[in-house]
Structures are given as structure tokens and as C-alpha cells.
Amino acid sequence: MKPPRPPRSGPRSARPADVKPDAPRGRRAARVAAPPRKPAAEAEREDGPQRIAKLLARAGVGSRRDVERMVEEGRIALNGDVIVHPAPLLTSLDGLTVDGNPVAKPVSTRLYRFHKPAGCITAARDPKGRKTIYDLLPKGLPRVMPVGRLDYNTEGLLLLTNDGEFKRQLELPASGVERTYRARAFGDVSQEQLEELALGIEIDGVRYGRIDANLERRTGRNQWVEMTLTEGKNREVRKVLEHFGLQVSRLIRTRYGEFTLDGLGMGDVDVVARDDLFKFRRHLG
């Protein structure tokens, strides 16, 4: 039998208050403390070799999603060879073709305001044969892409750009770009009910973020409601108002970011001044 351990000669040294008893130490501690690194294949590249989807989006061919779809359809080639997934990383547009046509070098970013009327879709073509925004745009306008969408029966401000990356940045909810709508709706709703939307709302399993909503004016059971949001999910305004039992008879987008419908007639298009675009992009980050 071992003799009992002699008592310590002094008091046990106190553990620093900011060190937890089970905190990992050494190399394991360094691994735990360091934030997880993004796999190299997933990391965003701002210089050097880049994904084809990103290069072509910046060249105005389409959004990244559009380009990825073109690759799947076998429409994009490099030096005559059709590109397949996984697409190679490239440093330039040299040798790239879309539908057999060489890709033009990127031009400076342009942004346009378009007052979309109701009765047309935000797409290049429609299988049902309905009118599209491209049937209404001036013939001399360069190749542009819509920033987000407006439904067939929704009118108002639609931004157009020749830069796929800029389009993507404007559309991402993380960018926090506000969109404002005015809706004419039939039914009954109170300002108190609308103010609850500031906390977000879940409808049919879909979570909608903060919405700033105000009851503008009422005539009988018809009222105009102004709503400002940043997510812009599919038919978000209509679904939220229908959740309150309202029937939307007219929906107009009046603002996207810093840009409004002011001075723009129905069906008109104008270009955003370079200085205004520069200031907006600098503020956007």
C-alpha cells in the first residue's frame, strides 16, 4: 500500500478567470480558434483565374445562373471545344464563344431606369407568347439584363444593366437594397396590423423578413398601402397582403435603392448618370 501523498506546500495556483477548464490547448486550440476556411474551389476570386460564369456575367452575357445554364446546354465553347462541367478557370475571355459568336470585351457598367407597364413579363421570351419587356425596350439599347423581376401584372420601376455581376449584387438580400411598392387593395386592414410586419412574418412555411408598411389612404374598403422591403422574394408583397385578406388590384414599384420613378413616363427608359451610378456603387460597397 502506497503512502498517502503529502499535502501541497502552498496554495494551488489560481486559474486565470478568462480560461475555461475544458478549453483546448496547443495546436488543437489554434485549430478551434481559427475560423473555418473556405475550400479553394469555392472561394471568390477577384483577380487571377476566375470561373467562366463570373467572367461572362461581367461581360454582360447574362447572370451567373444564365451562364451556368448555357454551359449545361452546350452553348459555350473555348477555342472551338464545347465546355462541360466542371468548367475550367480562365484569366480572360480570349477564345470564348457563345452560340458560336466571340464574346466581346466588357464595357463600363451602365444602369438604366425603365417604367415597366402591366401586361408584360420580365423575361427574354415567353413560351405562352405573352409580351415581354424586350418587346417594349428601344431598339438602340445595348444588351441589358433586368435587376430582379416584376410580375406580369405589376408595373413600376425596373432597373436594367449590362453588368451581370452588378445585377447579382443588387439582387442579393445581403446587400440590403430597399425596394418600395405601392399597392391598391380591397378589404380591411389596420395600421397596427401592418406595423407587425416590422418583425417579419411566416406564411405557408416561408419566412419573410422585416417590412416597413404604412396605410396611406382609404376610400371605402379600398386602400393604398406602401411597403418597403429588402428581400424581394417571389410575389412577396401580394402574398403578405393576401395573408391579411386583402385583394390586390394594382401594384407599383416606386423605388429600388436610391432610384425612383420620378420623371419617367410609362414605358420610358433613361440612363442613370455616371456620377449617380458611381456614388451609388460606392455606397453599396
Side-chain angles (χ1 to χ4, degrees):
M1 182 175 178
K2 294 182 180 181
R5 177 179 295 178
R8 294 180 179 269
S9 57
R12 179 179 297 181
S13 60
R15 189 187 303 273
D18 59 345
V19 178
K20 297 180 180 179
D22 56 350
R25 300 181 180 183
R27 293 182 180 179
R28 179 166 171 254
R31 289 197 300 269
V32 172
R37 289 192 297 178
K38 218 175 183 182
E42 298 179 5
E44 287 287 338
R45 299 170 180 264
E46 295 302 328
D47 52 15
Q50 298 180 18
R51 294 180 182 275
I52 288 175
K54 186 172 183 178
L55 282 174
L56 293 183
R58 283 183 168 170
V61 172
S63 66
R64 290 194 191 189
R65 188 173 301 175
D66 292 336
V67 174
E68 289 168 355
R69 185 162 50 246
M70 292 176 183
V71 170
E72 292 173 357
E73 295 170 352
R75 297 170 56 191
I76 299 177
L78 177 62
N79 298 324
D81 296 326
V82 174
I83 292 174
V84 296
H85 283 297
L89 299 177
L90 302 177
T91 57
S92 74
L93 296 169
D94 295 341
L96 275 178
T97 59
V98 178
D99 297 330
N101 301 312
V103 179
K105 301 297 182 183
V107 295
S108 59
T109 299
R110 293 284 187 275
L111 186 68
Y112 300 83
R113 296 188 307 153
F114 172 49
H115 191 158
K116 175 192 176 296
C120 64
I121 66 170
T122 309
R125 60 186 67 86
D126 180 41
K128 298 180 180 179
R130 293 174 296 179
K131 186 183 299 184
T132 77
I133 59 170
Y134 292 97
D135 295 323
L136 305 177
L137 295 176
K139 300 302 180 184
L141 203 67
R143 181 171 184 166
V144 290
M145 298 162 280
V147 177
R149 293 179 179 273
L150 289 178
D151 296 338
Y152 181 78
N153 289 319
T154 301
E155 59 192 275
L157 180 64
L158 183 64
L159 297 181
L160 309 168
T161 182
N162 62 339
D163 187 331
E165 279 298 291
F166 184 43
K167 161 187 163 70
R168 177 173 177 266
Q169 185 181 20
L170 286 173
E171 292 174 341
L172 287 174
S175 297
V177 180
E178 292 185 342
R179 296 91 151 154
T180 298
Y181 297 80
R182 293 183 69 236
R184 184 177 65 194
F186 177 80
D188 295 308
V189 69
S190 67
Q191 180 62 38
E192 289 73 19
Q193 287 176 291
L194 294 175
E195 288 176 357
E196 293 175 359
L197 294 173
L199 301 176
I201 188 172
E202 184 171 321
I203 303 173
D204 297 331
V206 178
R207 182 71 187 177
Y208 298 96
R210 173 187 173 85
I211 300 175
D212 183 11
N214 293 287
L215 191 59
E216 288 190 327
R217 67 176 185 268
R218 191 195 307 271
T219 305
R221 295 192 67 198
N222 279 298
Q223 55 254 306
W224 281 95
V225 180
E226 183 183 70
M227 304 175 69
T228 297
L229 47 97
T230 58
E231 289 186 322
K233 291 180 178 175
N234 184 37
R235 298 175 61 83
E236 181 170 347
V237 172
R238 294 182 184 273
K239 289 179 179 179
V240 169
L241 293 179
E242 288 169 0
H243 176 75
F244 289 119
L246 301 175
Q247 299 175 16
V248 178
S249 58
R250 190 177 180 190
L251 183 59
I252 310 167
R253 182 157 68 194
T254 59
R255 182 173 70 92
Y256 200 114
E258 298 180 8
F259 308 104
T260 71
L261 276 176
D262 290 351
L264 202 61
M266 184 74 74
D268 288 348
V269 181
D270 72 2
V271 62
V272 173
R274 286 180 178 271
D275 288 347
D276 293 339
L277 177 57
F278 176 76
K279 291 175 184 176
F280 175 67
R281 297 193 75 173
R282 184 173 56 184
H283 175 73
L284 192 61

